[in-house]
Amino acid sequence: MDGNGRWACARGLPRAAGHRRGADAVRRAVRAAPALKITILTLYAFSSDNWRRPPGEVAALLCLFRDYLQSERSRLRQSGVRLSVMGRRDRLTVDLIEAIEACEADTAEGTVLHLRVAIDYSGRDAILRAAESLPLGFEPTRDTFRERLALTCGAGAAADVDLLIRTGGERRLSDFLLWESAYAELCFLPCPWPDFRASDLAAAVAEFRTRQRRFGALAPERSALEMA
Ligand code: FPP
């Protein structure tokens, strides 16, 4: 969800105002996802490297996450959205941890959409923590390691990423879901996150559906031809 800061600066507003408008874009995306048959939506809200930002911006972001979880809790529950927060919790504020726990508990039965919010998340750290947690002598397979990763980073369920959208014009992964994105289709959009609309999500999904996913194999028609 990149581009909040630039969106605000372009309007002469403080960066925190861009993050607040970013929270409105989050609400729009969450509302739009089920109709697009999205069953898991993961939002990268705060990376473990974002602690390097000025303390005022970090504090504003943590308050915004808390406020979002508190204000959206019953709406999420009513719409069948299950919320999980991925990432480290030991560096978060007590009020944010409480808001996370309350929202996760309240929405645990949701089956329409699994909304995962990554806070103090690092893809590389998640892989390290999963590896460290393996019992001595245990030889993981891709599947058992994926399960372990989901468990240790709080993902709720092991799932590969199908479509990865990054707004704000940057074209990099920035330590997001590195293992899970091995075969993700990438979509880089120039629009800053606060301007992201349901129609942008729909367009990205429509484009995704046109992509041919081969996962390293041949396209079906080509492999049939070569067998003949
Ligand atoms: C990166 O763009 C964005 C962030 C570090 C914060 C993302 C947070 C939100 C969208 C707030 C709402 C989130 C939830 C879950 C309620 P940037 O601000 O660094 O953009 P820039 O590259 O233009 O400076």
Side-chain angles (χ1 to χ4, degrees):
M1 299 186 286
D2 205 3
N4 297 342
R6 278 166 286 162
W7 183 93
C9 292
R11 288 159 180 79
L13 299 169
R15 292 176 57 83
H19 295 314
R20 280 197 299 278
R21 290 295 284 265
D24 296 335
V26 165
R27 290 186 184 88
R28 290 195 293 271
V30 172
R31 255 201 320 270
L36 296 167
K37 309 267 182 284
I38 294 171
T39 54
I40 304 177
L41 177 66
T42 309
L43 302 174
Y44 199 10
F46 191 86
S47 84
S48 295
D49 291 324
N50 286 149
W51 291 111
R52 296 183 184 157
R53 294 190 177 208
E57 180 171 351
V58 170
L61 278 168
L62 300 185
C63 285
L64 189 58
F65 302 148
R66 180 203 59 203
D67 294 349
Y68 172 84
L69 294 168
Q70 288 174 343
S71 66
E72 291 300 301
R73 199 166 100 196
S74 64
R75 210 191 320 254
L76 292 173
R77 181 192 163 97
Q78 278 160 20
S79 9
V81 178
R82 170 186 167 205
L83 177 125
S84 309
V85 171
M86 302 168 62
R88 283 179 68 163
R89 296 205 183 167
D90 56 309
R91 299 189 285 197
L92 304 181
T93 53
V94 174
D95 55 347
L96 176 55
I97 296 169
E98 285 171 0
I100 291 170
E101 288 174 353
C103 197
E104 285 182 335
D106 248 27
T107 62
E109 305 301 321
T111 54
V112 174
L113 173 70
H114 188 183
L115 172 62
R116 307 191 304 180
V117 182
I119 300 177
D120 198 356
Y121 174 86
S122 149
R124 289 195 289 206
D125 288 353
I127 293 170
L128 277 178
R129 268 203 309 282
E132 282 162 4
S133 77
L134 293 172
L136 208 65
F138 180 79
E139 288 181 18
T141 61
R142 287 178 178 182
D143 285 340
T144 56
F145 190 77
R146 196 212 272 130
E147 299 283 339
R148 175 64 57 153
L149 188 58
L151 196 72
T152 51
C153 76
D160 279 346
V161 174
D162 288 313
L163 171 62
L164 190 152
I165 303 172
R166 182 173 185 150
T167 57
E170 312 291 356
R171 292 163 176 254
R172 50 178 177 260
L173 296 185
S174 299
D175 205 9
F176 185 54
L177 293 172
L178 297 179
W179 175 283
E180 298 87 337
S181 297
Y183 277 100
E185 297 294 328
L186 307 179
C187 171
F188 297 111
L189 300 178
C191 84
W193 176 252
D195 287 340
F196 190 80
R197 298 278 178 274
S199 56
D200 297 308
L201 186 59
V205 169
E207 218 244 78
F208 166 78
R209 296 199 197 287
T210 68
R211 300 218 186 153
Q212 190 182 59
R213 306 188 77 199
R214 297 193 297 274
F215 300 97
L218 296 184
E221 65 278 16
R222 203 172 140 205
S223 89
L225 263 177
E226 286 175 13
M227 290 286 289

